[in-house]
Amino acid sequence: MNRAILNQLDVEAEKVVAKYDQKKAATLTLLHMAQDKVGYVTPEIEAWVSKWTEVPVVHVHEVVTFYSMYHKKPAGKTHIRFCTGTSCALGGYEKILSHLKKKLNIQNGEVTKDGKFSLEEAECLCACECAPMMQVGDKYHMDLTEKKVDQILDAHK
Amino acid sequence: MSEPILSRNFNIPDAHKLSVAESRGAYETAKKVLATSKPEDVINAVIASNLRGLGGAGFPTGKKWQFLPKDNPKPVYLVINADEGEPGTCKDRYILERDPHQMIEGIIISAFAIKSHKAYVYIRGEYVEPYRNLQAAVDEAYKKGYLGKNLFGGTYSLDLVVHRGAGAYICGEETALLESLEGKRGLPRLKPPFPAIVGLFGCPTIINNVETVACVPHIMKNGAEWFVKLGTPTCGGTHLFSLSGHVKKPGVYELPMGIPLKEIIYNYGGGIKGDKQLKAVIPGGISAKILTAAEIDVKMDYDSLKAAGTMMGSAGIMVMDENTCMVKMLYYATKFFSHESCGQCSPCREGTGWAHKIVTRMYHGEGTLKDLDTLLTIARNMEGRTICVFADAAAWPIQSYIGKFRAEFEAYIQNGKGKDLKPQEAVLQHG
Ligand SMILES: Cc1cc2nc3c(=O)[nH]c(=O)nc-3n(C[C@H](O)[C@H](O)[C@H](O)COP(=O)(O)O)c2cc1C
């Protein structure tokens, strides 16, 4: 299944690589592209990126493990990054995070049984003016309350 | 402040779209500069304007541009640092998301000045929505001939690539950013050579913050003298201050360089939430040393804050009321630095992890008085001993929180506070 998806991405990959002055510079972008389609970074994806960037697979793997946004194992359909930075702490995020955990019945780094959500306690996401906040999928949700968290989760059901 | 400059379009609906931006004057200055000025004219104007880098270090922008080698046969790159990650800071997000054309116009004029024909914007990976607005703005600019070959029908050409990071605070450090942009782990490089000599792909490179380049069109439009007058004698212009924590009206405020910190907190921020007493303020992002309530009579500019023993940094102001627990605040600071250390230099890799372990234990009621001195020793052994200043930044919260609130730390330890913290708070796992 991976292979078919990656074959489809080849057309786009060629355009991406062409934008950069050196092929290896496309590494992060290609990883984002493939992860968006597959859900996490598989060994096939690493090999595919290595093919396009002409850097050894081991080097691609090193990159994957360095950056927090690349999932090394399957994430939920919607990934939640909950900000645990200083401003969110001043805004009392702990209570809202435990509410979210109770609701999803998962801890940091886990995926819900139905595979719908995964949770990551993130470092500062730089929306400090609207603390506490979390990122659900791509979107920033700010000035969180327990009620707001309920509404956001319901909208993703 | 009379007229907003950098933030003038922040509340205009759809200002990220080219038609709206152009109706508000976007690209007029770039067109004029490219048609009538020489690159040296721009550099001279930027030098005369006293513009200083707004990414944290406050280095004079025009002077940095002059470090580029003369008669250089290699391509020159302009790289924009949009990796905003300093806790307490949210200013660049406003430009990227709400007024990307302002930054693109700044990139055009800045790249023209340094004779670069290729620019990269490195935007933090989590900023997906700002990225979409920015990429759409770049696409629109290309379509109209404002980017690409022969800008505005003239002779100058410039390509612009938006590049997404993938979650690593250290990539905000300029040489780690270059490594990351080259497709590698974000490990800072030894300096010298500085990026102006050996930067991206081994070529001369200028790295500037989003807000820094956004200032450039305004300088070219209104003149260097106008920009100088907005600020202090050593630093021109305004700054986007991010205000968060226990204030009534948190937000991003554009205010002149040198504005008193008190005025930001009590006038613009509306004072302390619940009308409580102020306890402490971090003036420039988590890396800046903390100020006690008695120390906030300070102006917000690079020199004044330095004189006050702290720094402007990213101008991320975090306000703490009388009920704030300093042990808990230090816990959050050490958690951040231990999670984000890139691991390249041992004093930092080991020091940040060790400090966080001790502070976590202390926070949960298992600390000893000796721990305080151990922490200070760890901090001293991180300062000035590593490739980049991340380790120094990790040391400063330890030194300043314990240094200024030692009695509170001692009381917390002696009274066995923290023992009642819920276990789920205790198992915050990171990395
Ligand atoms: C650990 C660390 C993190 C940094 N993060 C950022 C950042 O997120 N954004 C930024 O513009 N500069 C950041 N900087 C500063 C950059 O290294 C660099 O000085 C800046 O991008 C230069 O642009 P300027 O002169 O326009 O400010 C960071 C520096 C360090 C040491």
Side-chain angles (χ1 to χ4, degrees), chain A residues 50-118:
Chain A
S50 159
K51 178 191 82 180
W52 276 106
T53 54
E54 294 171 9
V55 296
V57 181
V58 60
H59 174 104
V60 176
H61 184 66
E62 211 176 60
V63 168
V64 170
T65 57
F66 185 83
Y67 295 94
S68 67
M69 286 182 75
Y70 298 128
H71 301 301
K72 290 92 194 170
K73 54 182 197 215
K77 193 163 157 267
T78 302
H79 185 65
I80 300 177
R81 280 188 200 93
F82 201 102
C83 183
T84 65
T86 295
S87 295
C88 283
L90 291 171
Y93 83 80
E94 293 97 332
K95 207 166 143 257
I96 297 165
L97 177 60
S98 36
H99 175 75
L100 174 72
K101 285 176 172 173
K102 214 177 280 163
K103 218 164 151 150
L104 294 177
N105 198 20
I106 53 173
Q107 294 297 320
N108 182 29
E110 294 178 353
V111 186
T112 53
K113 273 216 180 79
D114 59 7
K116 276 193 181 143
F117 295 100
S118 45

Side-chain angles (χ1 to χ4, degrees), chain B residues 53-55 64 81 83-85 169-170 172-174 207-209 212 389-390:
Chain B
L54 300 166
K64 188 195 287 194
N81 192 340
D83 193 43
E84 187 159 70
Y169 166 74
I170 194 62
E173 195 280 334
E174 57 185 18
I207 298 141
N208 274 130
N209 171 259
T212 310
V389 295
F390 176 97

Side-chain angles (χ1 to χ4, degrees), chain B residues 374-386:
Chain B
T374 309
L375 284 168
L376 293 174
T377 308
I378 295 172
R380 195 167 55 243
N381 286 326
M382 286 197 285
E383 241 185 327
R385 289 168 201 262
T386 51

Side-chain angles (χ1 to χ4, degrees), chain A residues 126, chain B residues 52-61 64-65 79-86 89 91-92 124 169-177 188 191 207-213 287 302 314 337 388-391 393:
Chain A
C126 288
Chain B
R52 288 170 69 170
L54 300 166
F59 195 85
T61 304
K64 188 195 287 194
W65 292 0
V79 175
I80 305 307
N81 192 340
D83 193 43
E84 187 159 70
E86 179 74 19
T89 318
K91 67 184 183 77
D92 295 338
R124 84 173 279 179
Y169 166 74
I170 194 62
C171 293
E173 195 280 334
E174 57 185 18
T175 59
L177 185 150
K191 295 188 259 193
I207 298 141
N208 274 130
N209 171 259
V210 171
E211 191 186 351
T212 310
V213 284
S287 306
Y302 295 100
S314 59
F337 287 106
C388 84
V389 295
F390 176 97

